[in-house]
Amino acid sequence: MTTMTQPAPAWLRELAAARAHYEETFGWPVAVQVGQRQLAVALGQVLDAITMPAGLADQVNQQLGIAMLAGPVIAHPDGGRWTFLTQAATMMRGDIVDGLAEHEVRHAGVGAYTVVPTETGDGGWRWISEPRPHQMLPSAYAVIATARRLCAAASHAA
């Protein structure tokens, strides 16, 4: 019996190379999700994620930039939501996003994951702000506090 091996498909080689890049450059625990043909990073130990509607996220991102606290931001395929990658918030209180549910601000809990974009952009995930080597990720608290401040200002103006 002869076994013939086939080379991995190009898309799988690209995902493996992108995974290695994220792990080696940033130290992120990235996994290849073969069935979905995408990369995902586990949350809760090395980094966390805060997701919100794109309109609010754009304002938050601008404010974080002014405060020199900006970090990587991912746009979802639907274009309606962005995810901020943050430092792991190991001691995050459960009520940290209370009061922001009506604004659709969500903190991904420990054990969750988020998709990270690849060079090919397959699946529609894309970087709004790409990560940079040796870049300190913003605190989850800074992202949430900025969202909270902007939401409060908008409700007071209304």
Side-chain angles (χ1 to χ4, degrees), residues 13-90:
R13 288 193 306 275
E14 290 169 10
L15 285 177
R19 174 183 182 233
H21 167 74
Y22 283 124
E23 288 183 343
E24 292 170 6
T25 306
F26 307 112
W28 296 351
V30 176
V32 175
Q33 293 182 326
V34 175
Q36 293 84 16
R37 294 187 181 195
Q38 63 189 17
L39 297 179
V41 62
L43 302 173
Q45 292 187 9
V46 175
L47 51 104
D48 264 316
I50 308 296
T51 300
M52 62 190 74
L56 174 59
D58 185 39
Q59 293 175 46
V60 168
N61 197 37
Q62 288 178 35
Q63 291 297 308
L64 290 170
I66 291 168
M68 298 175 65
L69 296 172
V73 182
I74 301 166
H76 292 226
D78 65 7
R81 292 170 291 149
W82 291 4
T83 294
F84 292 81
L85 297 183
T86 69
Q87 297 173 18
T90 55

Side-chain angles (χ1 to χ4, degrees), residues 4-15:
M4 304 271 297
T5 58
Q6 297 289 325
W11 63 266
L12 185 55
R13 288 193 306 275
E14 290 169 10
L15 285 177

